[in-house]
């Protein structure tokens, strides 16, 4: 081999080595970032909130990757991306700002307010995700798709097999009668109780019998009023008096609530109810001496203590307790959601999830670890077919009613 051949061969080897380094980077996912740290969901929320505040208009939403335990921050430029990476989060440069996505939801409300539709902001796709149920056909479908097509790629539309409805039930509706597992049942039902591992960092670690006294109700327990069955959300206090939160569409149905179908064991009176637009109600216990524990019923003889309130974030692992289907789990999939149940019943500012629910579960508690997150509103499908479920943020209900929860709830 002459000297020139050796030089050429060496150059070729160097080129191949360079390609081996460059090609993987060229094909890398925009969600990947060298040196990204792992976070618990709680610490991810704390960091994301701080970063969003620091970045201002350059922040475009964020989400949590439960499988990798990484925080992904959407940003609008590389300078902001560098700030995100310096804090150990994954930076994803996106096209649409949060202001543009919120404006997109406003446009949809103005041009496509169609019963059987819902939309929410999805930071994973950096778009507004529009969902149409099985009733949206013909001219309704044409109107919806035309509106989405006119949003310059800021929204997508998809179908769901179910029909959007509120999840209040009747007195006669028994747990599990709508196809779900029911309390104590198998798949996705109450049998998933405290021992399954639950949401991120031990949400399923219930405190057996934590503070519960005779006659006290927990989140997820059945309440009856006005011919309807709903579920209690979270126990709270208002000016020191015991009360609980449930769904607003339940509060609109009945003035008084009982723990039995016949109404013989009255427990509380509706003090405030907001539906539509929002979906929460405050019910005060009739006995001011009621010892109402800050707990959620895990439907297996144990309870989960609730000590705080958490804002929902896409990717957050959550659980829901309700009087029809017991305890089910899933993740948050969208924020700032709007759902149109029909007959003028349109609710805004909801949390969208893939957690299943059924009639009778309305008002029930959605929680993550020891944190209260949402109150069950409605959705599509059931706990056999699956579907989407929407929740009223607890934080909004507390702010509106002046109630306190968890560690602030004696």
């Amino acid at each position: 081999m002459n000297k020139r051949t050796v030089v050429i061969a060496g150059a070729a080897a160097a080129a191949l080595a360079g390609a081996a380094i460059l090609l993987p980077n060229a094909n890398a996912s925009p969600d990947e970032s060298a040196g990204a740290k792992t976070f618990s969901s709680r610490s991810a929320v704390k960091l994301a909130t701080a970063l969003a505040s620091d970045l201002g208009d350059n922040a475009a939403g964020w989400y949590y990757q439960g499988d990798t335990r990484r925080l992904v921050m959407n940003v609008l430029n590389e300078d902001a991306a560098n700030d995100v990476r310096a804090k150990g989060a994954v930076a994803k440069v996106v096209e649409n700002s949060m202001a543009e996505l919120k404006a997109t939801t406003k446009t949809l409300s103005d041009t496509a307010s169609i019963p059987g539709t819902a939309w929410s902001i999805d930071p994973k796709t950096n778009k507004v995700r529009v969902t149409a149920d099985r009733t949206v056909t013909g001219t309704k479908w044409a109107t919806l798709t035309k509106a989405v097509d006119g949003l310059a790629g800021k929204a997508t539309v998809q179908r769901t097999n179910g029909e959007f409805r509120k999840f209040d039930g009747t007195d006669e509706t028994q747990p599990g009668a709508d196809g779900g597992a029911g309390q104590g049942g198998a798949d996705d039902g109450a049998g998933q109780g405290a021992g399954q591992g639950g949401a991120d960092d031990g949400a399923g670690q219930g405190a057996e019998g934590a503070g519960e006294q005779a006659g006290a109700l927990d989140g997820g327990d059945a309440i009856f009023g006005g011919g309807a069955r709903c579920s209690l959300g979270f126990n709270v206090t208002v000016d020191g008096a015991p009360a609980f939160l449930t769904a607003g569409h339940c509060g609109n149905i009945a003035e008084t609530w009982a723990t039995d179908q016949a109404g013989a064991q009255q427990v509380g009176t509706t003090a405030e109810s907001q539906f539509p637009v929002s979906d929460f109600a405050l019910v005060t216990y009739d006995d001011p001496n009621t010892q109402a524990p800050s707990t959620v019923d895990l439907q297996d003889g144990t309870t989960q203590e609730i000590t705080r309130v958490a804002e929902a974030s896409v990717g957050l692992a959550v659980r829901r307790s309700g009087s029809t289907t017991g305890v089910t789990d899933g993740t948050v999939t969208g924020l700032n959601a709007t759902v149109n149940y029909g007959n003028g019943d349109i609710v805004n500012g909801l949390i969208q999830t893939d957690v299943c629910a059924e009639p009778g579960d309305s008002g029930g508690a959605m929680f993550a670890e020891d944190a209260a997150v949402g109150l069950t509103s409605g959705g599509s499908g059931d706990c056999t077919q699956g579907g989407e479920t929407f929740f009223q943020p607890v934080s909004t209900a507390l702010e509106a009613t002046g109630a306190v929860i968890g560690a602030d709830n004696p």
Side-chain angles (χ1 to χ4, degrees), residues 29 48 60 98 118 122 149 174 183 193 198 201 210-211 230 279-280 302 342 344 403:
S29 163
M98 282 302 296
D122 179 8
D149 289 344
Q174 296 301 315
Q183 296 183 6
D201 294 334
C230 291
D279 196 1
F280 62 85
T302 67

Side-chain angles (χ1 to χ4, degrees), residues 211-239:
E212 184 172 351
Q213 298 185 11
L217 293 176
D218 299 302
D221 287 350
I223 53 174
F224 300 85
R229 176 168 59 83
C230 291
S231 298
L232 187 147
F234 297 96
N235 283 318
V236 297
T237 58
V238 181
D239 296 329

Side-chain angles (χ1 to χ4, degrees), residues 37-279:
K37 298 178 182 179
T38 59
F39 301 91
S40 69
S41 62
R42 188 173 183 177
S43 58
V45 170
K46 184 176 181 180
L47 176 58
T49 302
L51 281 170
S53 177
D54 292 342
L55 295 172
D57 292 341
N58 287 322
W62 60 276
Y63 56 96
Y64 182 66
Q65 294 179 320
D67 54 347
T68 62
R69 295 170 62 85
R70 288 185 173 184
L71 167 65
V72 181
M73 293 290 300
N74 291 343
V75 295
L76 300 181
N77 54 58
E78 279 298 330
D79 287 342
N82 289 332
D83 291 340
V84 168
R85 295 182 187 114
K87 297 293 186 179
V90 177
K92 183 177 179 181
V93 179
V94 296
E95 180 179 356
N96 299 318
S97 69
M98 282 302 296
E100 289 174 317
L101 294 178
K102 289 179 179 180
T104 297
T105 64
K106 177 62 166 59
T107 300
L108 286 167
S109 294
D110 293 340
T111 62
S113 185
I114 299 168
T117 60
W119 47 78
S120 62
I121 294 176
D122 179 8
K124 289 187 176 182
T125 62
N126 187 229
K127 294 182 179 181
V128 174
R129 182 175 62 250
V130 182
T131 305
D133 73 14
R134 64 188 177 195
T135 68
V136 182
T137 59
T139 57
K140 293 181 180 179
W141 176 252
T143 299
L144 181 63
T145 54
K146 181 180 179 181
V148 172
D149 289 344
L151 290 170
K154 293 181 175 62
T156 61
V157 64
Q158 63 185 28
R159 280 197 174 279
T160 183
N161 292 327
E163 182 176 340
F164 292 135
R165 55 182 171 166
K166 304 179 292 292
F167 280 142
D168 53 289
T170 65
D171 282 357
E172 292 75 21
T173 303
Q174 296 301 315
D178 196 41
Q183 296 183 6
D187 300 335
D188 292 326
Q192 290 183 345
Q196 73 170 8
D200 182 72
D201 294 334
Q205 296 177 0
E208 185 170 359
E212 184 172 351
Q213 298 185 11
L217 293 176
D218 299 302
D221 287 350
I223 53 174
F224 300 85
R229 176 168 59 83
C230 291
S231 298
L232 187 147
F234 297 96
N235 283 318
V236 297
T237 58
V238 181
D239 296 329
F244 62 81
L245 297 174
T246 188
H249 65 268
C250 293
N252 286 1
I253 293 172
E255 181 179 352
T256 60
W257 293 91
T259 59
D260 64 314
Q261 291 184 9
Q265 301 177 38
Q266 183 173 319
V267 65
T269 302
T270 301
E272 182 176 350
S273 184
Q274 293 193 23
F275 180 86
V277 182
S278 296
D279 196 1

Side-chain angles (χ1 to χ4, degrees), residues 165-169 174-182 320 324-325 356-362 376 381-385 389:
R165 55 182 171 166
K166 304 179 292 292
F167 280 142
D168 53 289
Q174 296 301 315
D178 196 41
R320 178 199 54 75
T324 298
T325 55
C356 72
E358 295 179 7
D361 288 329
S362 274
T376 308
D382 53 39
C383 287
T384 300
Q385 304 294 328
T389 301

